[in-house]
Amino acid sequence: MNIRGGIFRLLFFSGILVLIFANCKEENLTPEQKLLTQGKGLYVANCSACHNQNPALDGAVGPAIQGSNFELLKARIVSGAYPPGYTPKRSSQLMTRLPLNDEQIRSIEAYLNAP
């Protein structure tokens, strides 16, 4: 009897959790939340291996990039260059160019500048 009650409770609470998480779909996010979610995904997939999982910390190859602006991100990501007048944190030229569009780069910028 006690095992049955435990199994019933486990199934009941599992069902509740499924219903809760089913309502956390991307369609329920605000435009700002969608932008941040996309930016984080792009950062983790494309940037974190060199820079760091935490953009506020230096990575093994790349420097911390938290707070970077669109102009710097676009120059580095698209052409591997620096914007005019920018002083690099490191002298290496190891940045891999990525085929990201302006919208994707803006989402990374939003993620890197989120509070």
Side-chain angles (χ1 to χ4, degrees), residues 45-103:
N46 296 290
C47 311
S48 65
C50 294
H51 288 279
N52 195 310
Q53 189 76 16
N54 178 347
L57 302 175
D58 286 339
V61 177
I65 58 174
Q66 185 174 19
S68 295
N69 65 34
F70 177 78
E71 182 181 38
L72 173 61
L73 292 170
K74 183 168 181 171
R76 295 300 292 151
I77 291 170
V78 174
S79 65
Y82 290 101
Y86 181 82
T87 303
K89 294 178 182 178
R90 296 184 180 175
S91 60
S92 67
Q93 296 294 320
L94 300 174
M95 178 73 184
T96 302
R97 291 176 184 89
L98 301 169
L100 300 179
N101 62 37
D102 284 359
E103 179 185 334

Side-chain angles (χ1 to χ4, degrees), residues 2-68:
N2 201 7
I3 292 175
R4 280 181 146 177
I7 291 173
F8 175 76
R9 274 186 289 228
L10 177 65
L11 290 173
F12 177 76
F13 287 115
S14 296
I16 295 294
L17 287 175
V18 167
L19 290 174
I20 289 170
F21 287 116
N23 287 322
C24 294
K25 294 179 182 176
E26 189 173 316
E27 63 195 34
N28 295 331
L29 299 176
T30 66
E32 183 179 314
Q33 290 170 325
K34 287 180 183 179
L35 188 68
L36 292 174
T37 300
Q38 180 187 21
K40 181 178 182 178
L42 287 166
Y43 177 82
V44 169
N46 296 290
C47 311
S48 65
C50 294
H51 288 279
N52 195 310
Q53 189 76 16
N54 178 347
L57 302 175
D58 286 339
V61 177
I65 58 174
Q66 185 174 19
S68 295

